[in-house]
Structure formats: structure tokens, C-alpha cells
Amino acid sequence: MAGSGVHATVAVLERHLTLYRRLFWASAMSSFLLPVLFLVSIGLGVGGYVGDLGGVSYLQWIVPGVMASTAFQMAVGETTYPVLGDFKWTRGYHAMRATPVRIGDMVAGQVLVMVVRVLPQAVVFLLVVLLFGGLRSWWSVVTPLVCAAVVVASALPVMGFSARIDNDGYFALLFRFVMIPMTLFAGVFFPVAQLPVVAQWLAWVSPLWHGVELCRAATLGVAPPWPVWAHVACLVAWTVAGGWFAMRGFARRLAV
Amino acid sequence: MMTVMAAGRAVRRGLFGGVSAGRVGAVLGRNVGALRSGPAYWLVLLSGFFEPLLYLLSIGVGVGALVGAVPVGGRPVDYAVFVAPAMLAVSAMSGALAETTFNVFFKFKYARTYDAVLATPVRPVEIALGELTWALVRCLFYTLMFLVVMVVLGLTSAGGALAAFPATALVGLAFGAVGMAISTFLRGWQDFDLLTTGQFTLFLFSGTFSPVQDYPVVFEVIVTLTPLYHAVELVRGLAVGPAGWMLLVHAGYLVVMAVAGLWVASRRIGKLLLV
Amino acid sequence: MAEEPLIVARGLVKRFGEFTAVDGIDVSVERGEAFGFLGPNGAGKSSTMRMISCVSAPTAGELRILGMDPVRDGVAIRGRLGVCPQLDNLDTDLSVFENLTTYARYFGLSRAEARRRAGELLEFVQLADRAKGKVEPLSGGMKRRLTIARAMVNDPEIVLLDEPTTGLDPQARHLLWERLYQLKRRGVTLVLTTHYMDEAEQLCDRLVVMDGGRIVAEGSPRELIARYSTPEVVELRFAGGADAAVKLDGVGERVDPLPDRVLVYARDGDAAVAEVHRRGLAPSSVLVRRSTLEDVFLHLTGRTLVD
Ligand SMILES: Nc1ncnc2c1ncn2[C@@H]1O[C@H](COP(=O)(O)OP(=O)(O)OP(=O)(O)O)[C@@H](O)[C@H]1O
Ligand SMILES: [Mg+2]
């Protein structure tokens, strides 16, 4: 049947790509330049005082963390204001709703566009840190896939959140109480083992920590703290639960 | 504090003759009134305080545990002690900038708050001063809370906190004034990306996380020309030491910033609002 | 056997919480017809339209569109509808042309086909010279035309237009009417809502008048006028207010006093005016005109349409 199934998902994906083309340079800056600056300031600057961490230089230790957290931040950034805006200001979802596009297509198309974006970004980042001597293993080549998994696992629940709020003031709260704490305490800059026990649990629950540890295992060529399947299972759990949460949120908001 | 008052006088006499404190107060009052509009704005306001605090805990305390000591003025101090005053300066900067760039721009372009205000005897300059005062209130609210946290965590002494507090007011005033001037040049939301990137770069490279003496020389020279560096050095010198005549240079830089920012803002804001 | 009507509603109800916006209406629309919903603000027109466009589920009653059930077969039905909502929801971050191509892709058109249709439709609504431009700077009427072009992108069998001309100047309205008339000639079924009597008279073969969620009358514009009004109406204004109405008892078929004027419904307007003068009344202004749907509406609901 025309318009249904994969076609509709692709059509939604294309719409977001068309929008993205306009913002390419601005977003390239924040998704590429900022992580590199971070690496220089913290990895090199502070790293000079840290010395080795688990037998590798501090720079090498935080490279995978910065990589995964950049993907995570993109996922959150792209699913907050843009999603609320398409419900409230441009009413883009309402326009889609009047066509054969289904809720699942809207959600899947928008998530896939982020996957399409994060893969090349991660590859470029890998090449740059390679020049800094930031990689230690050929397993590094799987990190773009891990970044994609982090994006999906964190974008979906945030989409569900954005579909349920009406005032963008709540985003400031999401950023300050969820996103920033996660990037700062989920094992990006220092091992979560240093955290108080309760905070450690929170880090273990977060999708970002699993992404960071998988990336770190890959770039350093070591085994991750939990078995690989356990980390992957946590990311999958976030994806499934988040997907359900997002679909329900969209369906409710569009069904009036 | 002297410098702040001197700047205030210069601003009053030289730049904005005939400004009415009452009308500036009315603009200020509008913002205070908005606080009563509901919990959302309060929460947003309050949450702004947590960002530098979280950085302090993550980088200062978390990474600090891996670092040990860092030299300040030739004397080794705990890494958290080194980072804390920098985060204090950052919270003063971001508190003032958030209010004078993002919020002012929003009121300009979207909420059209000022159109209504300008239909009354209030003048553009008075709007600018009202918003700036409000930005300063927000900034001092952040820095006061942050200083309390610093004292509680033993990252500065009570005396150090008392000395640093007025300095944060100067930092807020300088960045608030410049932010005000910048917001008159912003064309749309896309410019905020640039502004945020700029702000973030300052945040990373102003002697915040490692001493500027560690940077390559060229880099160090460039950094010593940028505003947050002076804010960080001033606040750190007062909170942790060592105090010296260089502090006057840093304060002077910020005073010049405040005056120049206000001058530009007052010239542009009238033009923009009275089209 | 005759084809099943394209749209059939029986006892259709829409509730928002406790509030009943559409209160059990029966409607049927045949292929090729231009069908109108007429009614004042809050009558339930948009709520009905949204149910027909399969974006809002009916609370109760039966609704079949193109022979299918909107809740179960929503995707298939929407693929054959074109919808122009009351509020424009154009993609302000895309160009005019991209708005059409992007939308076309939602219907599964190929990229090449989408571009071809977009080009054609921009010609059709006279926006070809704005193709590359942004949506934001377009005037209200241009945006409306673009929304209508967008509703046509999938070559729909039914086009649903919720207040297509509200807020437009007379020229823009006439251009739109002309375009809609062309669509109708091509055999497209049109369903529209409006506050404007002249619009309904111009465009609709058949219409229903809604008020408070119910249908209060149904028929062609001509039938409705014949049934609920007289061929002519005399509008009288009196300097001293409308107290004179009592003295008009028996003039024409019916007298309807409004706050600012008195309407006299009559088969022959001039004869009624003569009778008014014969009774020694001196209205400050007199206007004899043909009866319109506005009069029908006034009679049915006791209110003017645009209040
Ligand atoms: N999502 C909603 N939630 C609650 N009430 C609603 C909702 N949508 C419509 N209503 C109410 O239903 C009633 C009918 O609304 P509707 O939009 O269908 O009217 P309408 O005939 O299209 O009016 P208008 O001419 O103003 O467009 C109104 O009283 C409206 O307030
Ligand atoms: Mg309506």
C-alpha cells in the first residue's frame, strides 16, 4: 500500500535531513569542535597532573568517554526543543498525522536521522584523536556503532518526555538535573567507582555509562567492567522502554 | 567595591543623563513579578546554580582525586581549591549572560515585552539598566550560594568568601553589560550557537581547569587578553590568594568591560526598539 | 445499485471530557459533491472535520469514509484524503517548494514524482515565483494557498478544507474560490467549513447548518432559503431604536427585530415598504434585498453568524 511501512519512515527521515542541511555548519561546530576543545582542556590540560590511569594516559582514558557523551548530548539536544516545537509551534507532527504516516514512522524516522548523523561524526572524531595518539586498539572501529546505540537508547525516552510537556522551561530542568549530571558523573571523566554508592547505582542505570564503558573497552582494547552482553542488554532495555514511552506520548498528544 | 561604585557614577553622569531610578525600578519590578507567575521560572532560575556546582563536584572533586595538588602562586593547593573559585567566576558570568542575552533577546523578539513597556514613559536606557540590575541580582544569588558551598566544603575561608563576593558582583556587571550589548546584535537563534560556543571555549580555557602557565606561550598570551581569565584570576586571588597588585589590573579590565558594554548597549538599544 | 456515499456519519459524537462538541450528527456526502458545514464559533465544525480526516477518533456513533472504518483503516483512508486544517501547519523551516515535496513523500510518492507535483501545484495556486523562498514571509493568503496546494499533493479523492478563506482579503478569497471550483469540476469531492454565507452559496451543492454540536438544517442553499426564508428581505433602521417593531405586526410574512435594525421577511419587498409607510412609520433607512443564507441562519439559531 502506498505510503505505509518503510516508505513513510524514510519520508520522515528525509524531512529531518532537509532541515538538518540548513543547520549543518552550526551543528558541526557543536558536535565536533566542542568535544575536541574538551579533550584539549581536560584531557591534555588536567591530564598533565593526573599521570596514568589504569596503565593508560588520562587523555586516552577520557577519549571514549567524551565520544559517547557527545553522542548522548546530541540525542538529548535533538529531541527536546525540536520535538516540542513540532508539536507546539510548527505543528509538523500534526501535518504528518493527516497523512498515511503513522506514529511509529514519526518516531523511527526522527531517531534514524540521528543515527545517520552520529556515525560520520564519530568517524571524524576517531580520526582526529588518532592524531593525538588517543586510541590503543583496532576495536576502536566499533565505537561509532556504540555511539549510535547510545543515541537511540537516550533519544527515545527524551522524545517521550518532550511529547508530554507544554512549557519549554522543563527542558532547563532536564538539562541541569539529568543531562549534565549524567555527562559529568557517568564515568566520562573519572571512574564511577569513586562515587558514593547511591550515585554509582544511578550511573549504572544511565544509558550513557554503558556506552562509555563499551567505547572505552574498544579504544583501549580491554574488557569492560560488566560482560559485554550485560552492557548491551541495558542499552536495549532503554531502547525498548523508551520506544514504548515515546510512542505512547506521541499517540496521546496527537489523539484529541 | 570602590570600582563598582565609580563605574556606577560614571555611567550615571556621563552616559545616561536624566535616567529615572523609579522607571528603572519599574522594569526591575516586572521581572520580580514574573517570579510569582509560577514555579517553572523559579526552578529554571534555581537550577542555573547547579551547573557550576556539578562541574566543581565532577572535575574539582572527582578528577581532583586523581590529580592531587596544583601550584597557585608558587604554593601547591588541592585541585578542588584551585577549581572552585574558577567555577564561582563562571557562575557569575553565566548567571549574568543568561539573563542579558537569552532572556532579553526573547523579550525583544518574541514576547514583545518591551513594545508594551515603551508605550509608557519608560525609556530604552532605563529598560537596559533595569534588565542589567536584574541580571546582577540573579548573578549575586548564584555566587552567594556558591560561596556558602565553598566554605562548607572547606574550599575557602570565611574571610576569603567575604573578599570574593564583591568581586563576583563586578564580574556579573561586566559580563551583563557586554551581554546586553551583544544581544542587540543577535539576528536569530542560530547566533546563540555561536555565543554558546564562545562562552564554552572561555569556560574551558581561562585558567579554569589548569594554570595558564601550562599552556603554550602563544596560547597563554591570547588567554590573558580574554575576559573570563581576568574574572577567574581576580576571584581566585581573593578567595585563595595570593593577593597582589595584579588584582587591580584584573579589576580594571572588568570595569572597562562594564563601561564599554553599557555604552554600546545604550546606543544600540534605542535604535533597535524605536523602529 | 448506487455507489455507497464517500462519507457516512450516523449519530456521530465527539466529547472532550464532559463537554460534548459534536452531539450526534448524521451526514452523508456523495462522490463529486461540494459539501459545506456552516455554523458560528464553537459549533463543532472543526471537531467534525478532524474526525473525518481520521486524526481524531469519534467518541460514539458510526463513521465510514471511502467505505472504510477510520479507526482501523486510518492509514489507508488518509492516503486518499487531502486536508487543509483551520490553522496552517506549514513547515516554517523548509522552503515553499520543500514543503510540498516533503509532504508528498509522506504519501509514498517517488522523489521525481514529488518534485513534478510540487511544480504543478505551485503553478495552480500561483506561487511558482515563491518556490525557493521561505514560508515565513508569505502573506496569510499565500500561506493558505500553499496549505491548499499541499492538501492536493497526493491527488486526493476528497479534499477537506476547514475555513479555507478566513482572514483573507476579497481578492484572495475569489482566487481561492476559483481554484476550488476548478477542483470540483475535475470530480474532486470537497468538504468545507465556513462562517461566510456567500462562500457557502458560491461553492456548496449541499450544506448543513450546525449549532451547539447539532445539525439544525440541511439542504442546498436554494432549498434552505426557500424553506426557512422568503425571497426578499427588507432591512429597516429607526432613529429611535427598534421600538417601532410592534407597529410592524403583520407586515410581510415575519418580522425579526435585531438590536440595530428590524428585518421584515416578505415575498415582495417593495409592497412591504409601501405598507410600512402607509402605517405612518418613518424609518431612517430602508434596504430591500434578496434573501441569503444569513437570514436562514438567523431564523434557525436566533443569532447572526459572525458575532
Ligand atoms: N481539544 C479540545 N479539547 C477540549 N475542547 C475542545 C477541543 N477542541 C474543541 N473543543 C471545544 O469543542 C467545541 C467545538 O469546537 P470546534 O473547534 O469544533 O468549533 P468550530 O465550529 O470549528 O468553531 P470555529 O468556527 O471557532 O472554528 C468548542 O467549544 C471547543 O472549545
Ligand atoms: Mg473551527
Side-chain angles (χ1 to χ4, degrees):
Chain A
M1 187 178 10
S4 68
V6 168
H7 294 294
T9 305
V10 172
V12 174
L13 188 152
E14 280 177 15
R15 177 224 182 208
H16 293 289
L17 272 185
T18 316
L19 288 177
Y20 174 57
R21 238 181 24 214
R22 294 234 154 69
L23 305 172
F24 179 81
W25 288 110
S27 77
M29 188 147 77
S30 54
S31 51
F32 176 71
L33 193 62
L34 293 186
V36 170
L37 291 178
F38 228 105
L39 275 187
V40 173
S41 173
I42 310 287
L44 289 177
V46 184
Y49 293 92
V50 175
D52 281 8
L53 192 60
V56 303
S57 78
Y58 185 63
L59 178 73
Q60 289 171 338
W61 197 82
I62 69 164
V63 156
V66 170
M67 192 176 183
S69 84
T70 305
F72 168 73
Q73 288 180 33
M74 182 192 94
V76 176
E78 292 298 313
T79 49
T80 45
Y81 284 96
V83 169
L84 181 64
D86 270 339
F87 278 118
K88 216 181 142 163
W89 299 306
T90 65
R91 300 174 66 80
Y93 296 129
H94 296 86
M96 290 180 198
R97 183 76 183 112
T99 73
V101 170
R102 288 161 306 188
I103 304 277
D105 299 315
M106 295 181 202
V107 174
Q110 193 151 5
V111 170
L112 283 178
V113 113
M114 284 181 262
V115 171
V116 168
R117 282 174 53 174
V118 81
L119 289 175
Q121 271 169 21
V123 171
V124 172
F125 186 78
L126 275 183
L127 293 177
V128 172
V129 295
L130 190 64
L131 298 179
F132 279 91
L135 307 177
R136 290 172 62 98
S137 159
W138 276 105
W139 277 105
S140 300
V141 295
V142 304
T143 53
L145 294 178
V146 178
C147 288
V150 170
V151 162
V152 177
S154 21
L156 285 168
V158 179
M159 280 173 101
F161 174 78
S162 305
R164 282 170 172 82
I165 63 168
D166 204 49
N167 180 339
D168 58 319
Y170 290 103
F171 288 144
L173 304 183
L174 180 77
F175 294 151
R176 264 120 187 203
F177 294 118
V178 180
M179 185 180 94
I180 294 177
M182 226 188 263
T183 50
L184 288 174
F185 298 101
V188 175
F189 298 107
F190 59 90
V192 290
Q194 276 176 231
L195 291 171
V197 179
V198 178
Q200 270 185 51
W201 289 342
L202 286 177
W204 290 339
V205 172
S206 78
L208 179 57
W209 181 69
H210 300 283
V212 169
E213 291 302 349
L214 285 175
C215 280
R216 185 166 288 140
T219 63
L220 300 183
V222 298
W226 293 5
V228 172
W229 67 261
H231 287 300
V232 172
C234 287
L235 289 174
V236 170
W238 271 103
T239 302
V240 173
W244 176 81
F245 186 59
M247 298 266 288
R248 266 188 72 93
F250 270 56
R252 275 210 212 147
R253 186 138 190 179
L254 290 175
V256 271
Chain B
M1 204 55 205
M2 285 287 287
T3 48
V4 179
M5 279 159 61
R9 266 202 306 278
V11 161
R12 268 173 165 256
R13 235 180 312 112
L15 299 172
F16 318 107
V19 163
S20 142
R23 291 195 294 258
V24 171
V27 174
L28 185 63
R30 202 216 131 259
N31 286 323
V32 177
L35 281 181
R36 280 189 243 111
S37 68
Y41 186 60
W42 261 110
L43 275 170
V44 170
L45 207 64
L46 200 66
S47 70
F49 157 76
F50 283 93
E51 202 168 322
L53 182 64
L54 290 171
Y55 270 95
L56 174 64
L57 293 178
S58 169
I59 311 287
V61 179
V63 179
L66 307 168
V67 169
V70 173
V72 172
R75 178 171 65 96
V77 301
D78 254 4
Y79 187 64
V81 173
F82 173 81
V83 171
M87 293 304 113
L88 176 63
V90 165
S91 73
M93 168 181 84
S94 54
L97 276 185
E99 201 60 54
T100 53
T101 57
F102 197 84
N103 284 0
V104 166
F105 179 76
F106 180 78
K107 289 180 197 167
F108 253 132
K109 280 250 166 163
Y110 295 91
R112 302 231 148 250
T113 313
Y114 299 139
D115 291 1
V117 175
L118 280 177
T120 69
V122 176
R123 290 163 40 205
V125 166
E126 290 159 350
I127 293 183
L129 287 180
E131 291 294 351
L132 189 60
T133 313
W134 176 241
L136 204 58
V137 169
R138 178 168 171 178
C139 152
L140 290 181
F141 169 68
Y142 287 173
T143 57
L144 188 65
M145 293 208 300
F146 200 91
L147 279 166
V148 169
V149 172
M150 278 172 69
V151 172
V152 169
L153 294 181
L155 300 174
T156 186
S157 60
L162 280 179
F165 184 62
T168 64
L170 178 59
V171 173
L173 190 66
F175 279 98
V178 168
M180 201 80 196
I182 291 175
S183 68
T184 64
F185 289 97
L186 294 171
R187 292 157 305 173
W189 295 114
Q190 68 276 18
D191 287 343
F192 276 97
D193 277 334
L194 220 61
L195 193 67
T196 317
T197 309
Q199 203 179 326
F200 195 68
T201 312
L202 290 183
F203 168 67
L204 289 175
F205 299 101
S206 294
T208 29
F209 296 111
S210 55
V212 281
Q213 290 79 17
D214 293 359
Y215 300 168
V217 179
V218 185
F219 209 50
E220 184 186 339
V221 171
I222 295 174
V223 168
T224 54
L225 297 177
T226 58
L228 185 59
Y229 164 75
H230 294 281
V232 169
E233 291 297 312
L234 177 64
V235 173
R236 190 179 280 144
L238 290 171
V240 183
W245 62 270
M246 270 306 284
L247 294 188
L248 288 179
V249 175
H250 300 311
Y253 183 104
L254 296 171
V255 171
V256 172
M257 235 176 112
V259 174
L262 274 180
W263 184 69
V264 173
S266 71
R267 285 184 54 119
R268 297 247 333 148
I269 205 164
K271 262 190 229 155
L272 280 179
L273 284 174
L274 299 173
V275 280
Chain C
M1 199 184 88
E3 188 191 16
E4 182 187 358
L6 290 198
I7 301 170
V8 188
R10 269 188 224 102
L12 190 61
V13 174
K14 180 73 192 182
R15 276 192 210 101
F16 297 106
E18 293 290 288
F19 180 79
T20 306
V22 178
D23 196 4
I25 61 169
D26 301 325
V27 170
S28 84
V29 180
E30 304 287 339
R31 187 178 287 280
E33 213 177 6
F35 187 88
F37 287 95
L38 213 72
N41 292 136
K45 304 181 298 291
S46 297
S47 306
T48 308
M49 290 291 261
R50 286 162 44 73
M51 286 189 279
I52 298 175
S53 29
C54 308
V55 297
S56 159
T59 313
E62 193 190 328
L63 180 63
R64 289 185 74 72
I65 297 159
L66 295 160
M68 291 180 277
D69 172 17
V71 174
R72 219 189 46 227
D73 307 315
V75 172
I77 299 173
R78 288 197 294 268
R80 292 160 63 184
L81 300 182
V83 176
C84 169
Q86 182 168 357
L87 296 176
D88 287 319
N89 53 16
L90 295 162
D91 227 320
T92 42
D93 297 322
L94 297 176
S95 73
V96 168
F97 191 79
E98 285 167 347
N99 256 281
L100 297 184
T101 50
T102 303
Y103 205 71
R105 296 283 290 152
Y106 296 154
F107 289 92
L109 271 66
S110 73
R111 276 184 207 94
E113 179 70 6
R115 276 197 299 273
R116 197 183 59 73
R117 284 291 291 163
E120 269 176 26
L121 285 167
L122 286 181
E123 291 288 343
F124 181 66
V125 296
Q126 300 187 354
L127 284 174
D129 54 328
R130 305 299 287 257
K132 288 220 163 56
K134 288 221 152 214
V135 167
E136 210 44 57
L138 296 184
S139 74
M142 291 173 173
K143 282 187 189 150
R144 216 61 196 136
R145 260 140 65 195
L146 183 57
T147 308
I148 290 174
R150 196 185 63 176
M152 311 276 313
V153 86
N154 56 327
D155 217 344
E157 289 165 59
I158 307 175
V159 179
L160 302 165
L161 303 140
D162 198 351
E163 297 192 20
T165 66
T166 297
L168 301 195
D169 65 25
Q171 249 167 325
R173 286 178 75 201
H174 280 279
L175 176 67
L176 258 180
W177 287 353
E178 198 269 323
R179 292 302 177 225
L180 294 178
Y181 195 71
Q182 277 190 34
L183 283 183
K184 195 177 139 188
R185 269 208 317 241
R186 285 192 215 160
V188 177
T189 307
L190 298 181
V191 179
L192 57 105
T193 73
T194 182
H195 292 158
Y196 300 118
M197 295 297 139
D198 50 346
E199 182 158 295
E201 292 196 44
Q202 286 271 338
L203 291 174
C204 299
D205 302 318
R206 215 152 54 79
L207 52 91
V208 292
V209 179
M210 283 185 81
D211 191 29
R214 294 171 184 276
I215 290 179
V216 290
E218 177 175 357
S220 72
R222 208 185 289 221
E223 280 167 17
L224 287 174
I225 292 171
R227 199 175 322 147
Y228 296 105
S229 190
T230 50
E232 293 194 328
V233 178
V234 184
E235 292 194 18
L236 301 171
R237 281 168 209 268
F238 291 94
D243 311 335
V246 278
K247 298 187 194 153
L248 288 171
D249 219 20
V251 182
E253 318 262 307
R254 196 172 81 242
V255 177
D256 213 344
L258 299 184
D260 59 331
R261 62 205 149 128
V262 182
L263 300 187
V264 176
Y265 294 85
R267 222 170 283 286
D268 180 349
D270 291 328
V273 175
E275 172 65 15
V276 170
H277 286 297
R278 206 185 56 74
R279 295 193 183 186
L281 293 167
S284 59
S285 86
V286 177
L287 173 71
V288 180
R289 58 167 174 79
R290 266 171 17 95
S291 200
T292 65
L293 279 176
E294 179 97 39
D295 303 309
V296 173
F297 187 81
L298 195 60
H299 175 60
L300 288 172
T301 67
R303 276 175 300 144
T304 48
L305 249 165
V306 194
D307 45 20

